[in-house]
Amino acid sequence: MSNVQGTLTVHTGRQGAPLGDLFGIFFEDLNHAADGGLYAELIRNRSFEFDPIDHPSFHALTAWDKVERGQGTGELAIEDKHPMNVRNGHYAVIDVEKAGDGVGLLNAGFNSGVPLRQGESYRFFFYGRRDSGSSALPVKVALEGQDGSVYGEASFSVDSDEWTKYEAVIEADRTDFSSRLTLTVHSPGKLYVDMVSLFPLRTFRERTNGLREDIAVMLADLKPKFMRFPGGCLVHDGSLNAEDRNSMYRWKNTIGPIEQRPARRNNWRYNQTLGLGYYEYFLFCQDIGAKPIPILPGGYDPHHKRIVPLDELQPWIDDALDLIEFANGHTDTVWGAIRAELGHPEPFGLEYIGIGNEEVGEPFFERYAYFHKAIKAKHPDIQIINSSGPFAAGGEYERGWKSARDNRSDLVDEHYYQSPEWFIANCDRYDHFKADDPKVFLGEYASWGNTYYNALAEAAFMTGLEKNAHAVGLACYAPMLCNVDYVNWKPDLIWFNNHEVFGTANYYVQQLFMHHQGDHLLAVEASGFPASKQPAPKPINGLIELASDASEVRYSDVSLTNDDTGEIIAYEGWTAELTDTESARAGGTANPAVALGETDWENYTLRVKAVKLSGPRGFIIYVGKEDERNYLFWEISGWQNQDSTISTRINGRGSCLTQSLFTVESGVQYELALEVKGRRLRAYIDGELIHETVDRLPVIEPLYYSASVDNASGDVIVKVVNLQEHDFPAAIELADQPAASRHADIWELSGYGLEEENSFEKPAYIRPEERKLTIGEQGFQHVFPKHSLTVFRIKQTG
């Protein structure tokens, strides 16, 4: 190949930073990722604990219906007078008046129903009791089709007035992904029922109370270095009392017998059984070879401003210390002994612990210092992860980094969800981070979408993570799992229903980087490449618009100043009252925005006075508005009226450029100023600078690349991303290598339309192809297809 357009020289003798545990996964129970997802339980609301606190539509019989067959009659009720245990207080009462062909309960399962496969066996159990002095009650449990066809059944005699566990293994004689479980009583009397459970016998690694095999295999096949768990916002959103139904996620509630684990509100508006708890999490990490990274609350709920007083913080710190002992302690320690009683006397080898999740506000960081000091005093080798909030830049981001430096945290958890264009423009984000600072844990990131384009943008960004391993210690895509019928958030790495699962294009990018991470970075020199593809100059001009954010507001005294010429356009005497309240929307009277007109100026300042008259939030100012999918905006109120942010939206996909804490008060007049200079924006409130940021446009490099070495095999690994609209021929040369014959294993993603995606109908449409290549002693040439990711594992032959 004589028309190569550049050379990548991999200096195999110049090792850089260790890559360590760089690429892993993040599990958070949203999108029904646990119940109805990875956790293999097939019965929804198995312990009758659903409650309106979980979701306004929930009640104790959600997913259950009464069954009366063959002229049987009876009543179905929920009671809590004599529970099986105090942590699960509700149970069902089936009061049979006339048995007929059975009176009882039917459970609809998750999604379309209980999924059954012909020839597979299912472990069923329930707890039951009868009234004292009454006769034994014959009970039948059946797996049925919606037409009543029986696919498998078991019979029991409930002959005790004490809560007793009844178990059976039931084999299904037909495949039906929309089946039901019925439990019927066949003589008059009262049956008290709780904890009705059905698991596939074949779970991942065949563990009891185990995980759904197909989803777990998808995760294991990634070969992640670590797994972050359990969140996410559910870690810190909730009551401070661990015994409250809506408490924060407290790890001690999640271990021990499942019937004694309390149901909890999930902050994503559904119920958590906590059946998938910390013990199961540690086991799963062990099974797939991933290091566990538990995240614990830090005594502060930023969602509702609940704060643990400093003089009451010790039990929260003890929770962290006890968790480390549970994971690592000898069996002669309190929590090590509990781990052994659960069936695992060997330590789990915990190395990391995180305190807090995308935290904002001084109360968290004040409390973090107490956790850090106590953990380091008792467990100096544990690496502690601090937080820098849910934004890529701004006041709370800087507060988090300051806390990390002041406390000498080992890592800082960064979170951001941005447009693919932002990821491309910021591939060099960590180039200037210092090696002696705390390392970055990129604990949540994704571009908005599951298209091939999204996956490629993330791949280019991930080469930047690798190349900056001196500063970036850990990174994981988020969210990971989504049940298609219970969507809280998208995009997601893996999608599933009750019987199918597929990985997105993003999944296969993550898999390639995890399988071929390597152990040490290698220096790569690019030479002979054409100049980067610079974007055309694009000032932030066009339509300017003022808007209300879920509130009633008044704007006045607007002016627009040309900062090059001094020309001023003043809207003298102009006032606009806007409303975007829920009641106005419902009544059809909403008037959410007013256009000021368009400008072709490149450098200008907009000034306006604004008052919130009523409502929960505040103001929005749009600039450079091309259409409803492309604009920049300054949002003054933001999430729960706590933030001021400057963001951009490209093709409907948003990126928050910067954030600071700010609360808009009703009846207060604010003087707002937004200064635009090229792509730089500065925002002022009452004369105080609150934001300064640059909206960077993507610069398309000829290639994005990184290289590493696998110490065990000696393989040299090279990853290359081509984002260009055309193929790119280049040479790969190996420096510092003795002359020898070599071959390369190649994995390549290419040939797909940028908007194409995987789906249930085409679950593996986008996935890498693998082939081998014999190469010369010092290198080879390769045509990198347009819109491609290519991974080489270069091996010495013989």
Side-chain angles (χ1 to χ4, degrees):
M1 186 190 307
S2 58
N3 61 338
V4 295
Q5 297 183 27
T7 299
L8 294 176
T9 302
V10 181
H11 293 275
T12 60
R14 288 167 51 188
Q15 289 194 5
L19 292 165
D21 300 322
L22 182 56
F23 294 122
I25 57 178
F26 166 47
F27 179 89
E28 179 176 9
D29 186 7
L30 79 164
N31 305 317
H32 276 63
D35 298 319
L38 182 61
Y39 186 50
E41 175 65 79
L42 300 176
I43 302 302
R44 189 172 182 224
N45 190 17
R46 65 185 178 187
S47 58
F48 308 100
E49 295 297 334
F50 276 35
D51 187 272
I53 201 170
D54 304 321
H55 190 279
S57 68
F58 284 5
H59 52 82
L61 284 172
T62 293
W64 294 96
D65 284 311
K66 184 170 70 171
V67 173
E68 294 175 317
R69 291 178 171 169
Q71 300 186 3
T73 60
E75 296 298 326
L76 175 62
I78 296 295
E79 292 184 359
D80 60 2
K81 296 176 183 176
H82 303 289
M84 185 170 61
N85 62 68
V86 296
R87 306 194 90 190
N88 278 293
H90 298 94
Y91 53 91
V93 182
I94 304 168
D95 188 354
V96 182
E97 299 167 3
K98 183 179 178 183
D101 291 334
V103 176
L105 289 163
L106 176 151
N107 189 268
F110 296 91
N111 300 87
S112 62
V114 177
L116 302 176
R117 286 183 168 83
Q118 185 176 8
E120 292 289 327
S121 294
Y122 298 84
R123 179 182 287 109
F124 170 79
F125 72 84
F126 76 103
Y127 282 82
R129 64 178 176 86
R130 57 168 172 77
D131 277 332
S132 176
S134 67
S135 301
L137 295 173
V139 175
K140 182 181 290 184
V141 171
L143 304 177
E144 301 181 356
Q146 295 192 34
D147 62 359
S149 300
V150 176
Y151 305 147
E153 61 184 6
S155 296
F156 306 91
S157 177
V158 177
D159 55 3
S160 173
D161 59 2
E162 299 289 336
W163 286 107
T164 304
K165 187 176 184 180
Y166 298 87
E167 302 177 83
V169 173
I170 305 173
E171 182 177 330
D173 65 10
R174 199 176 310 178
T175 295
D176 182 351
F177 303 126
S178 302
S179 65
R180 305 288 189 257
L181 180 138
T182 60
L183 186 153
T184 51
V185 185
H186 292 264
S187 69
K190 281 188 178 182
L191 176 68
Y192 303 87
V193 179
D194 204 354
M195 191 58 67
V196 182
S197 175
L198 184 73
F199 273 80
L201 208 59
R202 194 173 74 179
T203 59
F204 186 66
R205 300 288 178 94
E206 299 184 349
R207 292 193 182 278
T208 304
N209 194 48
L211 307 182
R212 181 172 147 179
E213 186 178 46
D214 57 349
I215 298 176
V217 167
M218 288 284 290
L219 302 181
D221 285 350
L222 286 169
K223 299 183 180 178
K225 295 287 189 180
F226 66 85
M227 181 171 167
R228 178 176 178 248
F229 175 94
C233 288
L234 65 81
V235 166
H236 63 192
D237 178 2
S239 162
L240 302 178
N241 184 348
E243 301 305 314
D244 284 350
R245 185 62 172 66
N246 66 332
S247 72
M248 292 183 185
Y249 195 100
R250 308 297 291 275
W251 76 268
K252 291 174 183 176
N253 283 333
T254 77
I255 62 172
I258 58 172
E259 62 272 18
Q260 294 180 20
R261 301 183 193 181
R264 286 291 179 263
R265 174 194 70 99
N266 184 304
N267 79 310
W268 293 100
R269 303 189 77 205
Y270 58 92
N271 176 274
Q272 297 179 88
T273 66
L274 303 183
L276 173 53
Y278 263 76
Y279 181 66
E280 290 79 19
Y281 159 59
F282 280 125
L283 286 177
F284 183 57
C285 288
Q286 175 181 281
D287 287 344
I288 66 175
K291 295 180 180 181
I293 302 185
I295 307 298
L296 298 184
Y300 176 56
D301 172 4
H303 297 254
H304 304 94
K305 303 293 182 67
R306 300 177 176 116
I307 306 172
V308 177
L310 291 177
D311 60 1
E312 298 175 16
L313 194 60
Q314 190 58 47
W316 296 72
I317 296 170
D318 290 342
D319 270 1
L321 297 174
D322 291 346
L323 177 60
I324 296 169
E325 185 175 284
F326 177 74
N328 291 353
H330 295 294
T331 55
D332 59 359
T333 64
V334 172
W335 288 98
I338 291 173
R339 183 193 67 241
E341 289 172 9
L342 294 176
H344 202 283
E346 302 82 8
F348 283 115
L350 183 67
E351 297 180 18
Y352 300 94
I353 192 168
I355 304 300
N357 167 70
E358 55 183 41
E359 303 293 341
V360 296
E362 183 57 31
F364 168 78
F365 295 103
E366 182 182 18
R367 282 151 184 76
Y368 171 85
Y370 291 86
F371 284 86
H372 186 101
K373 183 178 179 181
I375 293 169
K376 283 297 184 183
K378 193 167 185 179
H379 303 283
D381 294 334
I382 292 289
Q383 296 191 59
I384 307 175
I385 303 165
N386 204 328
S387 171
S388 65
F391 306 99
E396 291 310 290
Y397 176 84
E398 295 298 339
R399 192 201 302 266
W401 268 96
K402 182 179 186 303
S403 170
R405 293 185 181 106
D406 289 348
N407 289 285
R408 302 183 68 181
S409 303
D410 298 286
L411 297 112
V412 186
D413 193 4
E414 295 193 0
H415 295 181
Y416 40 79
Y417 298 89
Q418 312 279 51
S419 69
E421 291 78 12
W422 184 94
F423 279 95
I424 295 168
N426 288 275
C427 284
D428 60 352
R429 174 177 172 86
Y430 298 109
D431 282 6
H432 302 294
F433 277 50
K434 298 177 181 178
D436 57 356
D437 259 350
K439 285 190 178 295
V440 172
F441 175 17
L442 185 48
E444 295 183 30
Y445 75 97
S447 65
W448 293 112
N450 285 138
T451 69
Y452 185 56
Y453 175 49
N454 292 101
L456 282 181
E458 290 158 7
F461 187 79
M462 291 172 77
T463 64
L465 298 179
E466 279 197 354
K467 290 161 76 171
N468 287 295
H470 70 281
V472 181
L474 307 166
C476 49
Y477 182 100
M480 186 166 67
L481 297 176
C482 185
N483 186 319
V484 69
D485 290 328
Y486 306 95
V487 180
N488 300 116
W489 181 287
K490 56 184 179 180
D492 302 282
L493 198 65
I494 296 168
W495 289 77
F496 59 90
N497 53 32
N498 67 352
H499 64 286
E500 299 169 297
V501 60
F502 73 87
T504 58
N506 320 68
Y507 171 91
Y508 289 104
V509 165
Q510 293 289 326
Q511 186 180 64
L512 286 173
F513 274 78
M514 290 185 205
H515 283 200
H516 309 291
Q517 175 185 295
D519 296 300
H520 277 86
L521 198 64
L522 292 178
V524 183
E525 180 184 357
S527 58
F529 281 79
S532 303
K533 184 179 178 181
Q534 298 289 331
K538 187 179 180 182
I540 303 172
N541 53 25
L543 182 66
I544 299 173
E545 192 172 87
L546 306 179
S548 166
D549 186 5
S551 299
E552 184 179 3
V553 304
R554 181 174 62 241
Y555 290 105
S556 62
D557 294 345
V558 179
S559 68
L560 187 67
T561 302
N562 186 320
D563 292 331
D564 293 322
T565 67
E567 179 184 353
I568 299 176
I569 300 175
Y571 296 75
E572 294 182 3
W574 179 90
T575 298
E577 290 196 4
L578 308 174
T579 180
D580 188 37
T581 61
E582 284 189 22
S583 59
R585 292 178 205 162
T589 60
N591 175 31
V594 59
L596 293 179
E598 298 200 10
T599 182
D600 59 2
W601 296 344
E602 296 185 9
N603 304 308
Y604 57 89
T605 300
L606 174 70
R607 295 179 176 85
V608 61
K609 293 178 180 177
V611 178
K612 180 171 74 169
L613 304 176
S614 66
R617 299 183 72 170
F619 321 109
I620 308 177
I621 298 175
Y622 297 95
V623 293
K625 190 169 185 179
E626 301 173 23
D627 52 42
E628 293 303 319
R629 291 171 55 82
N630 294 275
Y631 50 82
L632 285 96
F633 61 106
W634 178 17
E635 185 176 20
I636 308 142
S637 68
W639 176 73
Q640 296 190 349
N641 193 16
Q642 294 190 38
D643 300 319
S644 174
T645 60
I646 293 180
S647 303
T648 179
R649 195 168 294 274
I650 301 174
N651 296 324
R653 294 177 288 215
S655 303
C656 180
L657 304 179
T658 186
Q659 172 271 352
S660 289
L661 289 181
F662 190 82
T663 297
V664 178
E665 297 181 12
S666 295
V668 176
Q669 179 172 277
Y670 298 96
E671 294 186 4
L672 310 177
L674 182 61
E675 177 186 301
V676 178
K677 187 173 184 179
R679 304 299 300 180
R680 181 177 296 277
L681 299 98
R682 294 186 180 91
Y684 301 81
I685 299 178
D686 294 336
E688 295 290 329
L689 179 67
I690 190 170
H691 298 302
E692 182 169 7
T693 189
V694 176
D695 180 28
R696 300 177 65 187
L697 297 176
V699 175
I700 305 301
E701 302 291 345
L703 295 174
Y704 300 81
Y705 52 84
S706 60
S708 60
V709 61
D710 184 317
N711 290 342
S713 65
D715 294 351
V716 173
I717 302 167
V718 181
K719 303 183 187 75
V720 180
V721 179
N722 180 10
L723 294 181
Q724 299 191 80
E725 297 287 341
H726 55 80
D727 296 352
F728 191 92
I732 307 289
E733 293 186 356
L734 303 179
D736 315 316
Q737 285 273 322
S741 59
R742 294 181 175 84
H743 74 272
D745 294 334
I746 304 174
W747 292 264
E748 195 158 73
L749 276 170
S750 66
Y752 303 104
L754 292 179
E755 297 306 311
E756 291 190 291
E757 301 183 40
N758 288 343
S759 65
F760 288 108
E761 294 72 28
K762 298 190 296 182
Y765 172 66
I766 299 174
R767 66 181 304 163
E769 294 185 355
E770 183 179 355
R771 64 184 187 274
K772 293 185 181 295
L773 174 70
T774 300
I775 62 178
E777 292 184 351
Q778 298 301 327
F780 58 98
Q781 297 177 352
H782 185 79
V783 176
F784 294 96
K786 70 173 186 178
H787 304 150
S788 65
L789 163 62
T790 308
V791 178
F792 304 94
R793 264 192 179 264
I794 302 168
K795 304 169 179 286
Q796 186 167 320
T797 303

